[in-house]
Amino acid sequence: MKKLFDGIKKDMKFKTAGPGKKLTDDTSTKPDVVQSGSGARPNRHGPSEGSQRAGAAALARIEQIPRPKLGTSQDAIRNQVKRELEAASLAEKDKAESEERSKVPVMAPACLSVSGVYFTCPLTGATLAKSDREVHIKEAILMRFEEDPVEASVMMIHTFNKDRDKLKAAIDIMSKYIENICKNPTEEKYRKIKLSNKVYQEKVRSVEGSREFLEALGFTSIMLPVEGKEEDEEFLVLLEYSPDALELMQERRDRLQRGEPVRAQLDRQPQVFRSSPNAQRFELPSEFYNMTSEELKKEQLQRSELVEKNAMLRTKVMREKEEQRERRKYNYTLLRIRLPDGSLLQGTFYAWDRLPVLFAFIRESLVDGWQPFELIAPGGQKLQESEEMALAECNLVPAALLTFAWDAAVQADIAAAGGKSPALLKPSLLETIRTLS
C-alpha cells in the first residue's frame, strides 16, 4: 500500500521558475516587467494505511459519492490528486500560451531579481510555488486525520469552504447539536441526526468537513427505521455520552468555533547582496502583477506619452485617485534596504503588508534588532514603524530601494560610553551573500 502511495507522490513534481518577459519603464526606479513561472518540490513522508483510509473517506464526501470501500481508498486518493494536478497543469499551459501570444522579449531566469513568489506550508514546512499551494495544503490536511481527526476536520471546514456566511451557519448548527446533547444527555432525540433532515441537508451537508467533524465527535452512521417509511434511513448517532465524553465534546465545539483556515505563508526569501551600483535596478517575475504582459506594455507606453500633458491638467484629487488605481495593479513588492556599510538586504512582501511587517523583517535580520533605527523611502520620506500603512499606500510597489540608518542619538550615547557600533546582519544571512548582477 505504501509503495502505491509513493508512486502517486513521485508524479507530483513542482516546476521551477521559467523564463520571463521584460518591458522597460521610463524611470530608473521602476522595475522592469517580467513574466515567469515558479515552483518547488515539497518533502513528504508516506502516509500510513489508516491515514489513507481517512483521506479517501473525506475525498469521497467532497465529491458527493458513496464512501469507498477500504480496498479502494488508494485509488480514491490517487484519482483525486491526479485530477487536481491535471487541472493545475492545464492552467499553467494556458498561461504559457497567453504569454507566447504577447510576443514580449523573454528574459532568462538568471536575470531576475528574484526567481519567483514562493510560499511555505505551515503543516509540512514545504516550499511551494503559488500554483501548488491549494493542492498541497488539501493533501496535508487529509493526511492528518489519523493523527488527530478533530483537528483535521476543523482545518478542513475552515479551509475548504470559501463562503464565510455559509460556513458560519453550518458551524452554528453543529454547535447547537453539541449544546443540546450536553444539556439533555439522556434524551435520545438529541443524539440522533437524520441525514435527510432539511436543515442538515441545506446547511450542514454541503459544507466540506462537516460530517468528518461529527464522526470525530463520536457520531456513528446507523440505518434506522422511520415511521411512515418502508425503508430504513441513515442517521448519525452518538452512542457514548458519559460526563467525560460530554466535557470533551464541548472542548471540541470550542475548537470548531475558534478554527482558522490553513493558509500558505509568503516566503520572504531574505537575501543579502554586496554594495552595488545596480541597487535600484529590479527585474520582476509576472507574479508581482495583476496585469498580463500585453496590458502592462500598453499601459506603460500610454503613461510615457501622456505624463507631461497630464501633469499640467490634473488636480491633486485626480492624481491621488490615479495613484490608487496604479497601486492596485500589484500583488507583491520586492524591497531592498541599503545598510550603513553599503550592503543590501532584500525581501518579498505582499503589496498590502503594513509597515510594522517590514520593520519586523529587518529587526529579525539584524544582530541587534532591538536598537532603534530609521527607514528612508525614495524621495526622502521617513517611514514610521508605528504607522499601520500598507506598503502600496507608501508607494513602495512593485519594488523600491530604502535606506537604513541607526538612530543618531542612541549611537552617540553608545559612543560616549565607549561602546562599539553594533554589528549589522546575522551570520546566517551573510553566509549566502551574493553579488547583484
Side-chain angles (χ1 to χ4, degrees):
M1 182 174 290
K2 183 176 183 300
K3 183 177 180 182
L4 176 58
F5 194 87
D6 289 340
I8 299 173
K9 293 196 296 178
K10 186 175 181 182
D11 293 335
M12 299 181 62
K13 297 181 178 178
F14 300 97
K15 300 179 180 179
T16 56
K21 298 183 177 182
K22 174 182 177 184
L23 289 174
T24 58
D25 198 357
D26 55 343
T27 62
S28 60
T29 59
K30 288 287 184 178
D32 294 327
V33 180
V34 180
Q35 303 285 337
S36 76
S38 60
R41 182 197 301 272
N43 296 320
R44 267 168 270 173
H45 299 290
S48 67
E49 181 177 345
S51 178
Q52 293 180 49
R53 291 199 299 268
L59 289 171
R61 279 189 287 278
I62 291 171
E63 297 172 346
Q64 298 184 1
I65 61 175
R67 186 185 304 182
K69 298 178 181 178
L70 294 181
T72 64
S73 61
Q74 303 167 20
D75 293 333
I77 297 174
R78 179 177 60 187
N79 292 336
Q80 176 73 8
V81 171
K82 282 187 175 181
R83 280 195 296 271
E84 292 174 339
L85 292 178
E86 286 171 359
S89 177
L90 288 174
E92 287 296 321
K93 183 178 179 181
D94 292 342
K95 178 181 177 181
E97 291 176 351
S98 175
E99 292 174 356
E100 180 65 23
R101 289 192 295 270
S102 67
K103 298 181 180 179
V104 179
V106 175
M107 177 179 293
C111 298
L112 297 175
S113 299
V114 63
S115 61
V117 177
Y118 296 92
F119 299 83
T120 302
C121 175
L123 302 180
T124 65
T127 300
L128 309 168
K130 184 178 180 180
S131 59
D132 301 322
R133 292 174 299 174
E134 188 172 340
V135 172
H136 178 91
I137 287 178
K138 177 174 286 190
E139 285 185 309
I141 291 174
L142 294 179
M143 292 309 133
R144 293 179 77 90
F145 266 93
E146 182 182 30
E147 179 183 344
D148 188 340
V150 174
E151 179 188 48
S153 58
V154 170
M155 289 180 179
M156 190 175 178
I157 289 170
H158 285 276
T159 306
F160 293 5
N161 301 282
K162 307 304 180 184
D163 188 329
R164 310 314 292 179
D165 292 336
K166 184 178 177 181
L167 174 61
K168 183 180 183 304
I171 291 175
D172 288 344
I173 292 171
M174 288 188 286
S175 297
K176 192 65 176 178
Y177 290 157
I178 296 172
E179 291 168 8
N180 287 338
I181 292 172
C182 292
K183 291 178 180 178
N184 309 279
T186 60
E187 289 285 342
E188 184 179 348
K189 66 178 181 180
Y190 291 122
R191 292 185 284 107
K192 292 194 303 183
I193 303 172
K194 186 166 72 170
L195 300 193
S196 62
N197 175 273
K198 183 178 179 180
V199 172
Y200 179 85
Q201 285 288 323
E202 295 181 354
K203 303 291 186 180
V204 180
R205 180 179 178 274
S206 59
V207 171
E208 297 179 28
S210 58
R211 177 158 176 168
E212 284 76 11
F213 176 73
L214 293 172
E215 290 181 347
L217 294 180
F219 282 88
T220 303
S221 174
I222 299 178
M223 302 299 293
L224 297 174
V226 177
E227 185 178 352
K229 298 287 184 70
E230 295 182 0
E231 297 182 356
D232 293 349
E233 291 194 20
E234 185 179 9
F235 286 74
L236 289 178
V237 181
L238 183 67
L239 300 177
E240 181 182 353
Y241 52 94
S242 65
D244 290 342
L246 294 177
E247 183 177 351
L248 183 60
M249 187 179 265
Q250 293 182 66
E251 184 270 332
R252 290 172 173 176
R253 176 204 59 194
D254 295 341
R255 289 171 66 180
L256 172 66
Q257 295 175 342
R258 295 194 307 264
E260 295 288 342
V262 179
R263 297 283 182 257
Q265 300 164 353
L266 180 64
D267 184 353
R268 304 209 182 280
Q269 303 179 71
Q271 178 63 54
V272 180
F273 296 99
R274 298 178 180 89
S275 179
S276 171
N278 297 320
Q280 295 189 63
R281 181 179 177 182
F282 296 89
E283 311 289 355
L284 301 178
S286 62
E287 294 98 319
F288 277 71
Y289 300 91
N290 277 323
M291 303 174 70
T292 65
S293 59
E294 191 64 33
E295 290 172 336
L296 280 165
K297 181 178 180 181
K298 181 178 179 181
E299 186 271 338
Q300 287 195 346
L301 287 174
Q302 290 175 342
R303 184 174 58 187
S304 298
E305 294 171 356
L306 299 176
V307 63
E308 293 185 4
K309 178 181 177 181
N310 287 343
M312 299 297 296
L313 299 177
R314 291 178 302 168
T315 65
K316 180 180 179 180
V317 173
M318 292 171 63
R319 287 195 299 271
E320 290 176 349
K321 288 184 177 180
E322 183 172 333
E323 289 173 356
Q324 291 176 359
R325 288 194 298 270
E326 182 79 10
R327 291 193 291 264
R328 284 195 292 268
K329 296 174 183 176
Y330 310 113
N331 298 316
Y332 309 96
T333 184
L334 186 67
L335 299 182
R336 287 180 186 150
I337 299 93
R338 194 198 303 274
L339 301 171
D341 63 357
S343 60
L344 304 164
L345 173 63
Q346 176 176 285
T348 301
F349 299 84
Y350 286 111
W352 58 86
D353 273 340
R354 304 289 174 175
L355 285 176
V357 174
L358 170 60
F359 276 81
F361 168 76
I362 297 174
R363 291 193 183 281
E364 290 169 2
S365 303
L366 297 172
V367 173
D368 292 323
W370 59 270
Q371 293 200 32
F373 62 85
E374 297 177 345
L375 276 184
I376 310 300
Q381 174 192 5
K382 183 180 291 188
L383 303 178
Q384 301 296 328
E385 184 173 6
S386 60
E387 291 185 2
E388 289 290 333
M389 290 184 64
L391 300 177
E393 294 177 313
C394 299
N395 294 317
L396 300 180
V397 292
L401 174 64
L402 309 173
T403 301
F404 173 102
W406 292 112
D407 183 274
V410 173
Q411 293 306 302
D413 291 341
I414 293 176
K420 297 181 179 180
S421 297
L424 289 170
L425 298 173
K426 292 180 178 178
S428 59
L429 286 171
L430 294 176
E431 288 175 359
T432 59
I433 190 169
R434 294 166 49 190
T435 298
L436 193 62
S437 58

